[in-house]
Amino acid sequence: MNRKNASRMLKSALCAVLLTASVSVMPLNAAAVRIQPIAQEGVVNRIYGSSQQEQEIYRVVSQAVSAGEKTVDIQLSKPIQNQERFIELCSKAVYQVRRDYPESFLSNHTDFIYYYGENGYYRVTYTFRYLNLTAEQKQEMLDEVERIVAEGKQQTDSTVELLRYFQETLCKRVEYDMQAAKSDS
């Protein structure tokens, strides 16, 4: 991996961690911060999805990624008849875990194999890949996020100003790769 790609990956991961930290370290005056919140009598947690199957897949994937596992095999309690729906559930679970746990440094290159039986699609095996970063690089990014959060809290008096500070910091640090954005990779 060349220095430019490594630098781009580090910046992307730093931005993801910073964005998550900006939401998780400050108190927000809101009932939920999720795009798809689950109605649970005032409790907001990191469980994605509204159906039992979405939650079932998400829960196992998030636990595996949090533990740094490379593979996980999930057998659904209730098979899914529609292949497109099953693939969508499997894909969305990984997408949401990547968003909810940026500190895991999960890469975009996660694969899964799914199985079909007489009752429908009942099993999926994920193979996770993580960004190729050393423990020192990961810690440097997390430390940088902590520094930015602390700096932002010193410079602002309100949640809105703090969010604006994080937005401005991200804008200063992010470089768009237009060639990659136009490709199908």
Side-chain angles (χ1 to χ4, degrees):
M1 176 172 23
N2 64 34
R3 286 182 65 80
K4 187 175 182 179
N5 285 340
S7 175
R8 189 176 299 128
M9 281 184 12
L10 283 171
K11 285 180 181 180
S12 296
L14 177 62
C15 288
V17 172
L18 178 59
L19 185 59
T20 299
S22 71
V23 174
S24 63
V25 298
M26 64 186 142
L28 295 176
N29 295 325
V33 185
R34 308 258 353 194
I35 293 173
Q36 297 178 344
I38 301 169
Q40 291 186 355
E41 298 180 19
V43 175
V44 177
N45 58 25
R46 287 185 150 179
I47 300 298
Y48 158 77
S50 56
S51 75
Q52 176 189 353
Q53 291 159 327
E54 286 174 326
Q55 292 176 15
E56 188 175 357
I57 294 171
Y58 175 87
R59 185 174 289 112
V60 176
V61 170
S62 65
Q63 289 171 351
V65 168
S66 293
E69 295 180 21
K70 301 218 181 215
T71 62
V72 69
D73 189 70
I74 304 170
Q75 290 202 320
L76 297 179
S77 57
K78 181 180 175 189
I80 298 173
Q81 298 301 315
N82 184 297
Q83 180 185 27
E84 288 179 18
R85 173 75 176 134
F86 183 74
I87 292 172
E88 179 184 7
L89 286 174
C90 295
S91 298
K92 281 186 174 182
V94 172
Y95 173 79
Q96 192 64 40
V97 167
R98 191 177 298 112
R99 289 182 57 165
D100 289 347
Y101 299 90
E103 70 277 9
S104 71
F105 300 98
L106 184 64
S107 83
N108 290 332
H109 302 290
T110 293
D111 299 317
F112 60 88
I113 300 170
Y114 53 91
Y115 302 87
Y116 181 83
E118 60 187 45
N119 295 324
Y121 296 89
Y122 68 98
R123 180 178 166 203
V124 59
T125 302
Y126 286 95
T127 303
F128 303 113
R129 291 188 180 80
Y130 300 88
L131 296 179
N132 190 19
L133 303 171
T134 65
E136 182 179 283
Q137 289 171 317
K138 291 177 184 178
Q139 190 58 52
E140 285 175 17
M141 284 195 295
L142 296 172
D143 291 346
E144 180 68 4
V145 168
E146 289 296 321
R147 186 190 66 72
I148 291 168
V149 168
E151 187 177 289
K153 285 182 175 181
Q154 288 178 345
Q155 294 184 17
T156 61
D157 294 331
S158 73
T159 301
V160 172
E161 289 175 12
L162 187 58
L163 290 172
R164 189 173 295 128
Y165 174 82
F166 289 140
Q167 179 187 16
E168 290 169 2
T169 301
L170 285 171
C171 289
K172 289 176 189 174
R173 291 174 173 249
V174 171
E175 294 177 23
Y176 289 99
D177 185 343
M178 296 307 286
Q179 186 177 15
K182 293 176 183 177
S183 75
D184 291 334
S185 65

